[in-house]
Amino acid sequence: MEFLSYLISGISLGSVYAIIALGYTMVYGIAKMLNFAHGDVIMVGGYISFCATTYLGLPAVVSILLAMAVCTVLGIVIEGLAYKPLRSAPSLAVLITAIGVSYLLQNSALLIWGAAAKSYTPIISGTLQLFGGKLSIQYISILTVIVCLVIMAGLTLFTSKSKMGKAMRACSEDKGAAQLMGINVNQTISVTFAIGSALAAVAGVLLCSYSPSLMPTTGSMPGIKAFTAAVFGGIGSIPGAFLGGILLGVIEALAKAYISMQLANAIVFAVLIVVLLVKPTGLLGKKVMEKV
């Protein structure tokens, strides 16, 4: 039962990583850039939800919707001001800008909310007792997995059936050809950032409910781990982000339980290195031939 408990905990944590990784993988798949400020958008979503419930007394569902709205606008603003002018710039310039935006968001949160950790009230509490009380599962863990599966199914349908989803896939394949076919590439990239940022808000609420402590640096490590999950599964692939997130969460939970709490993060990144040595494109990634 102990192993099953750790496994469920890992799947729940991995579901949060998977939701965050979807933002990384969508932006990279379409804009071919790494938005390292994504982890800090998670933190902003957590703070907005916290303020909505603590200071305004709004219900949890309303606070989540408000956090999604604010993060969606924030994602569009970040893309328009920081990344859009760098469409044709070298990748190093985009990477440095992303790190700069990350520090800007962290320090802005520090000025607004202070450095002290806020005690976040989980959106749902209580545990489910199974097998006569031998196995306890937190309701937040069940909710996290369900939300992750719903988001995965929704994104898959969106990208395969909707007009905007097809435009995203076209831009992912060849932005130049997509533009010649009448697709507004800039608008498509902005919508991608908006969706990724809205998902970051959901991930922020779930992450703070899972580990109820909120600080300006809350999103940093989960953001790095989610990026690791995206690379692990195959960056640019939605199913890859899901698989990578779940596997990463399970590996981390089992490493903490059976090996060492201190070495858990090192083990997670070591597994990533081994996977990339064997399969550089990630588990579900595909080799892309580049024209020269």
Side-chain angles (χ1 to χ4, degrees):
M1 287 299 173
E2 252 190 15
F3 175 79
L4 190 57
S5 177
Y6 295 138
L7 183 63
I8 293 170
S9 177
I11 292 172
S12 172
L13 180 60
S15 296
V16 177
Y17 290 155
I19 295 172
I20 304 170
L22 286 172
Y24 280 112
T25 207
M26 287 180 67
V27 169
Y28 182 81
I30 294 166
K32 295 296 182 286
M33 60 160 288
L34 297 173
N35 178 23
F36 279 114
H38 190 64
D40 299 290
V41 177
I42 298 164
M43 171 268 297
V44 173
Y47 271 114
I48 297 299
S49 175
F50 171 80
C51 291
T53 53
T54 305
Y55 303 132
L56 301 179
L58 297 176
V61 175
V62 178
S63 74
I64 295 170
L65 293 175
L66 182 61
M68 290 177 68
V70 171
C71 287
T72 298
V73 173
L74 179 62
I76 294 172
V77 170
I78 289 172
E79 191 276 330
L81 294 180
Y83 300 139
K84 189 176 179 180
L86 302 175
R87 287 275 194 270
S88 56
S91 56
L92 182 60
V94 180
L95 179 63
I96 293 170
T97 301
I99 294 171
V101 172
S102 172
Y103 280 113
L104 174 65
L105 291 176
Q106 282 186 28
N107 285 279
S108 298
L110 189 65
L111 289 171
I112 296 169
W113 289 292
K118 308 291 185 185
S119 182
Y120 190 95
T121 304
I123 55 174
I124 185 172
S125 58
T127 57
L128 176 66
Q129 302 292 334
L130 298 174
F131 305 110
K134 293 181 179 179
L135 178 63
S136 299
I137 306 173
Q138 291 184 329
Y139 286 128
I140 187 62
S141 298
I142 300 171
L143 179 64
T144 301
V145 175
I146 292 171
V147 169
C148 180
L149 292 173
V150 169
I151 288 174
M152 277 296 307
L155 268 182
T156 303
L157 285 173
F158 176 77
T159 54
S160 59
K161 301 294 183 182
S162 71
K163 185 177 179 180
M164 179 54 70
K166 291 176 182 177
M168 288 178 177
R169 288 163 59 199
C171 291
S172 177
E173 290 292 330
D174 191 324
K175 285 197 285 290
Q179 197 163 17
L180 290 174
M181 294 301 291
I183 294 173
N184 189 330
V185 173
N186 287 331
Q187 183 187 53
T188 303
I189 292 175
S190 294
V191 170
T192 305
F193 267 86
I195 294 172
S197 299
L199 294 181
V202 175
V205 172
L206 293 172
L207 180 67
C208 291
S209 296
Y210 186 87
S211 177
S213 179
L214 183 57
M215 299 173 65
T217 55
T218 290
S220 298
M221 185 53 74
I224 293 171
K225 288 180 181 177
F227 170 68
T228 302
V231 176
F232 193 7
I235 194 161
S237 166
I238 291 177
F242 174 73
L243 179 62
I246 297 296
L247 289 176
L248 202 74
V250 170
I251 291 168
E252 181 179 339
L254 295 180
K256 284 180 177 178
Y258 294 110
I259 301 176
S260 169
M261 289 282 289
Q262 289 76 22
L263 293 177
N265 289 341
I267 291 167
V268 165
F269 293 119
V271 170
L272 172 70
I273 293 169
V274 172
V275 169
L276 292 182
L277 286 173
V278 176
K279 198 173 189 297
T281 56
L283 295 175
L284 299 183
K286 297 177 182 177
K287 287 186 178 179
V288 177
M289 300 297 291
E290 290 189 7
K291 295 180 181 179
V292 294

